[in-house]
Amino acid sequence: MTACNSQSPDTAGSPEASPGAGGSGSQTLVMATSADYPPYEFIETASGSEEIVGFDVDIAKYITEQLGYELQINNVDFNGLIPALQAGRADFVMAGMTPTEERKQNADFSEIYFEAKNTIVAQQGSNLTTTESLSGKQVGVQLGSIQEGEAKEIEGANVVPLNRINEIIQEIKAGRIDAAIVEDTVAKGYVESNPDLEFNPIPNAGESGSAIAFPKGSPLVSEFNTVLQEMKSSGKVEELVTQWFGDE
Ligand code: ARG
C-alpha cells in the first residue's frame, strides 16, 4: 500500500530514496513536496544540514507520528508531485496544494487545512497592482500551479511558467519578467527578504486552499482526515498557523 513496495531508484531530490528499510519495524511513509514555498516548506540551510522544514512539514510530522508511521520527505518540482503519487514514488503530497477538480481526477485529497489568497509580486513602484495592469506584461507563475491557470485567464498577459518560486523571484529582480502571481503568505516572505519587490493582493478567481494529496483510492485519506480533524478541534493547527504565518 505504500511507496516502499514500489519504490523506484530515481525518486527525486533525496540521497536515501528507499524508505522502509529501517529496522524499527514501523512503516515509512514517503511525502513528496516542492520545497520552494516558505513558510509551507523550504530548505533550512542555516543549520548547515539542508533540512526541509515548514508548516506543512510540521503537520505531516504530527499526523504520521499520531498514526505510528516514520516519515521521509522528498523534494520534487511542483509539476512532478501528482505524477510522483501516480507512479507510486510517494504516499502523499503536502505542498500547499489546492484540491482542484482537475487534480481530483488523478489524486484523492484530505480536507482543506489552510486558506490563501493570490497576489501580484513585482518590482517596487512598478504599479502592477491589478490583473488588468498585467496586460502586455511577462507574468511568471509556477509550472502546474493554480496560479498558472489564473494567469492564463488574464487578457493580454504573457505567461512565463517556471519550475521554482525562487527562480520566478530572481527573474523579476533581474527585470527579465515584469511580475508574478504568488500566494499571499509566500509572497510576503519573499518580499520581506527582497525589499526591492512589493506584493498586492488580487481577488481569488477560482479554487483556493491547501489539502493533502494521495494516490487515488489510498486508505491513508481517512486516517489522515481523522487526525486533521483532531488537530483542528484541539487548536494544534491554529498553533502551527501562528508559529509559521505569524500575525495572520
Ligand atoms: N496553491 C497553489 C496550487 O495548488 C500553489 C502551490 C505551490 N506549492 C509549492 N510548494 N510550490 O497550485
Side-chain angles (χ1 to χ4, degrees), residues 213-233:
F214 301 86
K216 274 254 165 231
S218 170
L220 292 174
V221 182
S222 62
E223 288 184 42
F224 273 53
N225 270 336
T226 306
V227 182
L228 256 187
Q229 267 152 22
E230 182 266 310
M231 290 179 82
K232 284 182 186 174
S233 53

Side-chain angles (χ1 to χ4, degrees), residues 17-28:
S18 281
S24 69
S26 67
Q27 199 180 12
T28 298

Side-chain angles (χ1 to χ4, degrees), residues 80-99:
L81 290 172
I82 294 206
L85 288 178
Q86 292 179 296
R89 289 195 302 268
D91 297 297
F92 68 99
V93 162
M94 283 189 84
M97 185 179 274
T98 306

